[in-house]
Amino acid sequence: MNTEIQFSELFLTKKKNKLIMCYISSVILPKPSVFVMPVGKVTWGHRVSITCSISTQHLGGTFTLQQSSGSFRKSQTSSTNSASFNITEVNFSNEGSYQCQYQTRVSSQDFSSPKSDPVGLMSKLTLSDLISTLLKCLYGSTPESVNLTLFGELVH
C-alpha cells in the first residue's frame, strides 16, 4: 500500500532578542505506479501509451519515465496525479523495462519518490508488417498493389 508521511521539526532560535521559529519539512513520497496500454505485446509500428500515477497530496510535480536499458527518457509536468507518455510507432528499440519517478517541490524544497516497479514493453511483428516495412525500405513507400509469393502463399 502506498503511504505518505510528512513531518516537521521545530527549531527555536533567538535573534536580536526575538524568538524565531524555523520549520524544516520533509516529505516521503510513495512509489509511483506505471502501466502500459494496450496490455500485452504491442504490434510493431503501432502506438503505445505508458502512464505513471502517484497517490499524493503534493500535485504539480514532474513525472520522469526512463527505459532501464536504453536511451528513452522523458519528463512531463502534471497538475494531476498522473502523466501519460506516448510512443507513436513502437519498434524493437522500444522493447524493455520502464520505470517512473515523481519529483515535486514543497516549501521551497525538492523531493523525489522512489522509482516505480518496472513494467515491460514487448512488440510483435506480423508478416504483413514485415513485408510492408521491407517495401518501404526498398522503395521509400509501400506500392499500392504488390504481389509477393512467400513460402507458396500469395500476399497482397
Side-chain angles (χ1 to χ4, degrees):
M1 174 180 230
N2 288 339
T3 58
E4 180 176 5
I5 303 168
Q6 183 173 352
F7 63 90
S8 298
E9 295 179 24
L10 174 64
F11 293 93
L12 299 174
T13 60
K14 194 172 180 181
K15 188 174 185 180
K16 294 186 181 180
N17 293 329
K18 290 184 181 179
L19 191 60
I20 299 172
M21 289 187 278
C22 178
Y23 288 95
I24 298 178
S25 305
S26 182
V27 175
I28 298 174
L29 295 166
K31 191 185 322 184
S33 299
V34 59
F35 62 92
V36 178
M37 287 298 288
V39 176
K41 288 186 178 180
V42 179
T43 302
W44 196 85
H46 288 205
R47 181 179 179 265
V48 68
S49 179
I50 303 175
T51 301
C52 303
S53 63
I54 192 166
S55 177
T56 181
Q57 65 186 26
H58 303 289
L59 304 178
T62 300
F63 288 93
T64 301
L65 178 68
Q66 184 167 5
Q67 188 179 18
S68 300
S69 59
S71 60
F72 185 94
R73 180 184 170 93
K74 288 188 179 178
S75 295
Q76 185 176 325
T77 301
S78 176
S79 59
T80 66
N81 70 332
S82 66
S84 292
F85 299 86
N86 297 314
I87 301 172
T88 54
E89 292 186 12
V90 171
N91 59 50
F92 296 124
S93 68
N94 301 123
E95 286 190 346
S97 292
Y98 289 81
Q99 289 181 291
C100 281
Q101 190 171 27
Y102 182 73
Q103 300 87 30
T104 191
R105 191 167 184 83
V106 178
S107 302
S108 301
Q109 294 182 33
D110 293 324
F111 298 96
S112 293
S113 73
K115 288 184 179 180
S116 68
D117 292 331
V119 66
L121 175 62
M122 291 182 66
S123 62
K124 63 182 178 180
L125 182 61
T126 64
L127 180 59
S128 62
D129 289 334
L130 174 61
I131 292 169
S132 177
T133 301
L134 290 173
L135 291 172
K136 285 179 186 177
C137 289
L138 291 171
Y139 300 107
S141 65
T142 305
E144 299 224 359
S145 177
V146 175
N147 290 320
L148 293 176
T149 303
L150 187 62
F151 303 112
E153 186 178 326
L154 187 62
V155 179
H156 295 278

